[in-house]
Amino acid sequence: MATFVDRVTLHLTAGNGGNGCVSVRREKFKPLAGPDGGNGGDGGDIVLVADPQVTTLLGYHRSPHRSSKNGQPGMGDMRSGISGETLELPLPIGTVVYDENGDVLADMTEPGMRVVIAPGGQGGLGNAALSTTKRKAPGFALLGTEGWAGDVSLELKTIADVALVGFPSAGKSSLIAAISAAKPKIADYPFTTLTPNLGVVESGSTRFTVADVPGLIEGASEGKGLGLEFLRHVERCEALLHVIDCATLDPGRDPISDLDVILGELERYPVPEGQVPLLERPQMIALNKVDVPEAEELAAFVRDELEGRGYRVFPISTASRKGLRELTFALADVVEQARASRAAEPVAERIVLRPKAVDDKPFTIRAEGGEEHRFYRIRGAKPERWVQQTDFTNEEAIGYLADRLAKLGVEDGLFKAGAVAGSTVVIGGDGGTIFDWEPTLTSTAELITSARGTDARIGATSRPTRNERREEYFERMDAKAAARAELEQERIAGLWAENGDLSPAEADRDDRD
């Protein structure tokens, strides 16, 4: 079973916000005492925390699905819903967080560093919070929005001062066990080290960390062996220590050829932008296993050539501890120099958060679909959030959404983009909400008599134009004139007569009848 994991994909789902409440306060002798619906609680965030006590991503490898709690809905009597608890995920120091596209979201290099990786949804407002002097008793509330959901990738890059690199069975694990309190697995077969090991070394007044990286072979930078999987742990090291086996019995191998192979693999390994290439960092060589007579002779033979290349060479033996003191003091000097140079570097520029410009529009409108199937897509944080918060089964809530969009300037933007009444409008990306756009009324006087929970603007309503009203008037006048002419013809034909047209006797008889 794996005991070390340095790369994992997390499936995160932040909590959803709770819905607002629609409620009207009822008291004795006050059946309708005003709205008292509470707000919904916010959904819980998911936060990544750099924890020095965590050394592996194994826990997330076994359970990669993580979610935070949802916010509770609001209640009557002005009671707001409880917000969801924040979920904290501790990560090893040195973990790099990537999004689905491979872009870096955060680099957890400092202990206690916190990053909100998945924000929770926003709770909806209750009808008490939505009441105004003009809307004293709203019959609707806002819905809670959904929390962020998606995948992020975690990659652990060990933070150490010195990295031990070399062929398998070169004695790297034995060296880190000899100079520190680390207890790595040591055996007489290749690839004993399957996970990076860290050890703390104290040399004089200097304390530094050493990383034992699994053995490299030729082609490691192309994926052969285990080296490619763990070369990322060398990226953050200040210096490299080449551990060379001078007592190897493998044919065709010697200290010079082993060093050339390792240098070639380190040169071909790409480091992230802004970091120093591996071969440009301080390097030293430890000729190991000189307690063997043949190995001691070979070390003495190749030492001059290696020093001629500019390397500091230390013949050592982890079994007899020969040369370890000199080696640790040399490593401490290199680490101190690296720390001093890093301290002299200018401090990284602080992140400055500036407010948005006054004329920065909170939405964009774009015509899509061509001439035949044209529609207008609206993108923006506010319009998309407002649509999520709207209960489309409530006409009054839909009217409130129309008011918010008009106040934001969406109506004017649609007019400028060429939209007309009846045009198709989509708010959001793929899967967004689709509307048949009707311009909002400019006055709310006709809404005063609307039933609660309804909006007179919803439905098939239209206003006649001036020409239509004129034509309707003329048609009504023509109809009245035709009716009068028809009555006159009936009177002339004797079908009926007015009292003024009858003789006195006929009128008296008509009255008696």
Side-chain angles (χ1 to χ4, degrees):
M1 181 179 295
T3 58
F4 181 86
V5 175
D6 61 353
R7 182 180 292 174
V8 70
T9 299
L10 289 182
H11 311 284
L12 304 179
T13 304
N16 299 330
N19 297 335
C21 176
V22 181
S23 176
V24 176
R25 184 176 181 84
R26 290 170 173 81
E27 299 178 358
K28 189 176 182 180
F29 307 117
K30 292 183 180 181
L32 298 176
D36 67 344
N39 302 333
D42 295 333
D45 299 331
I46 299 180
V47 182
L48 303 180
V49 183
D51 189 350
Q53 303 300 323
V54 181
T55 58
T56 179
L57 301 175
L58 180 60
Y60 304 112
H61 173 73
R62 292 173 175 170
S63 55
H65 296 270
R66 301 299 177 101
S67 59
S68 56
K69 299 294 184 180
N70 296 330
Q72 298 299 316
M75 296 167 283
D77 198 17
M78 298 293 186
R79 292 176 296 173
S80 298
I82 301 175
S83 298
E85 295 182 1
T86 299
L87 176 64
E88 294 187 356
L89 303 179
L91 300 178
I93 297 177
T95 303
V96 184
V97 185
Y98 300 91
D99 62 8
E100 296 180 353
N101 300 324
D103 298 329
V104 177
L105 297 177
D107 192 354
M108 316 294 286
T109 57
E110 299 294 334
M113 184 176 176
R114 300 171 60 88
V115 176
V116 179
I117 198 66
Q122 181 178 341
L125 298 178
N127 65 338
L130 295 174
S131 62
T132 62
T133 55
K134 296 181 179 179
R135 187 189 294 107
K136 295 185 178 181
F140 68 98
L142 299 184
L143 305 179
T145 61
E146 296 181 354
W148 186 89
D151 298 342
V152 296
S153 298
L154 306 179
E155 186 177 77
L156 175 59
K157 297 182 179 180
T158 304
I159 297 179
D161 297 306
V162 179
L164 307 182
V165 295
F167 268 73
S169 299
K172 299 184 298 298
S173 298
S174 300
L175 177 58
I176 196 174
I179 62 178
S180 70
K183 299 184 181 301
K185 181 179 180 181
I186 300 174
D188 58 352
Y189 53 84
F191 296 110
T192 306
T193 301
L194 299 179
T195 65
N197 297 307
L198 283 179
V200 179
V201 181
E202 290 190 7
S203 181
S205 60
T206 303
R207 174 181 292 185
F208 58 94
T209 56
V210 177
D212 170 24
V213 181
L216 304 178
I217 62 175
E218 187 173 3
S221 60
E222 300 174 357
K224 294 184 180 180
L226 300 176
L228 179 61
E229 292 298 320
F230 297 104
L231 271 177
R232 72 175 69 93
H233 297 279
V234 184
E235 293 180 7
R236 301 183 186 272
C237 296
E238 299 288 352
L240 303 178
L241 177 62
H242 298 276
V243 181
I244 299 178
D245 184 4
C246 291
T248 179
L249 300 178
D250 294 344
R253 284 186 54 188
D254 59 81
I256 302 299
S257 61
D258 286 359
L259 178 62
D260 293 337
V261 170
I262 298 301
L263 293 177
E265 298 305 319
L266 296 178
E267 182 180 9
R268 285 189 289 270
Y269 181 77
V271 298
E273 185 178 357
Q275 293 190 11
V276 180
L278 297 181
L279 292 187
E280 295 182 10
R281 304 180 187 184
Q283 302 179 57
M284 291 187 293
I285 296 177
L287 300 176
N288 196 17
K289 303 180 182 179
V290 295
D291 55 300
V292 180
E294 293 81 0
E296 185 176 9
E297 294 179 2
L298 182 59
F301 178 75
V302 300
R303 181 172 182 175
D304 293 338
E305 182 176 351
L306 296 176
E307 290 179 345
R309 294 188 181 186
Y311 296 104
R312 297 181 64 182
V313 182
F314 298 87
I316 64 171
S317 171
T318 57
S320 63
R321 307 184 65 86
K322 179 181 179 180
L324 296 185
R325 180 178 174 83
E326 294 80 2
L327 176 62
T328 56
F329 274 98
L331 292 175
D333 293 338
V334 173
V335 172
E336 286 292 341
Q337 294 176 7
R339 291 174 179 175
S341 61
R342 187 169 60 249
E345 294 178 356
V347 180
E349 183 178 356
R350 292 177 178 267
I351 299 176
V352 179
L353 300 179
R354 295 182 174 88
K356 292 184 178 180
V358 177
D359 56 350
D360 185 16
K361 280 196 173 183
F363 64 90
T364 58
I365 299 177
R366 184 176 60 184
E368 300 180 4
E371 294 293 336
E372 297 182 0
H373 307 284
R374 172 164 294 185
F375 65 94
Y376 299 87
R377 186 182 299 277
I378 302 174
R379 298 303 305 270
K382 285 187 177 181
E384 294 179 26
R385 185 178 70 249
W386 291 347
V387 168
Q388 292 184 27
Q389 293 176 327
T390 302
D391 180 9
F392 287 97
T393 62
N394 189 305
E395 294 182 0
E396 191 177 355
I398 300 176
Y400 180 69
L401 171 64
D403 290 340
R404 300 177 85 181
L405 294 177
K407 186 176 181 180
L408 189 65
V410 173
E411 299 276 354
D412 296 337
L414 287 173
F415 276 119
K416 293 179 181 179
V420 296
S423 298
T424 301
V425 176
V426 180
I427 299 181
D430 296 337
T433 306
I434 303 175
F435 300 90
D436 290 332
W437 180 56
E438 291 294 338
T440 304
L441 299 177
T442 58
S443 174
T444 57
E446 60 270 29
L447 303 180
I448 297 177
T449 59
S450 299
R452 186 176 178 203
T454 61
D455 194 309
R457 293 170 291 183
I458 307 302
T461 59
S462 61
R463 292 183 175 181
T465 62
R466 180 179 300 176
N467 293 333
E468 292 174 347
R469 291 197 300 269
R470 183 183 294 109
E471 292 177 1
E472 182 181 357
Y473 172 78
F474 289 150
E475 290 176 359
R476 189 165 59 251
M477 294 297 102
D478 292 343
K480 290 182 178 180
R484 287 194 296 268
E486 184 179 357
L487 290 175
E488 181 66 18
Q489 292 177 0
E490 291 177 353
R491 187 185 67 79
I492 296 174
L495 297 178
W496 60 274
E498 297 180 355
N499 290 337
D501 296 337
L502 300 177
S503 62
E506 292 175 344
D508 182 63
R509 184 173 59 253
D510 184 66
D511 292 338
R512 289 197 302 270
D513 294 341

